[in-house]
Amino acid sequence: MKKKILLNVLFNLGIILSIFGMGWSYNNKSPLVVAFFGATFVAFVYVKIQLIKTIKDFKK
């Protein structure tokens, strides 16, 4: 369970950093970097949703 908590913290950090990265690269007019950070944001959210599903199944 400690591993899942650590993964959750890392995924949250990745989501937050992806949002800041998108804002920074948008202000610097770098559309390719915005797309990269957008893709990483989507990946972190997807994996976090999968982690939440496994935790819900674990609690049952």
Side-chain angles (χ1 to χ4, degrees):
M1 192 64 169
K2 290 181 183 179
K3 182 180 176 183
K4 292 189 187 300
I5 292 171
L6 179 64
L7 282 174
N8 189 30
V9 169
L10 291 175
F11 292 149
N12 286 337
L13 185 62
I15 290 169
I16 291 167
L17 290 176
S18 294
I19 291 170
F20 282 125
M22 282 189 288
W24 173 79
S25 56
Y26 179 77
N27 289 335
N28 289 326
K29 297 177 176 59
S30 301
L32 187 60
V33 181
V34 172
F36 170 75
F37 280 118
T40 58
F41 174 77
V42 169
F44 278 125
V45 169
Y46 175 75
V47 175
K48 183 172 170 72
I49 290 171
Q50 296 300 321
L51 179 66
I52 290 171
K53 286 181 182 178
T54 59
I55 290 173
K56 284 183 181 178
D57 291 339
F58 182 73
K59 286 184 177 180
K60 288 183 180 178

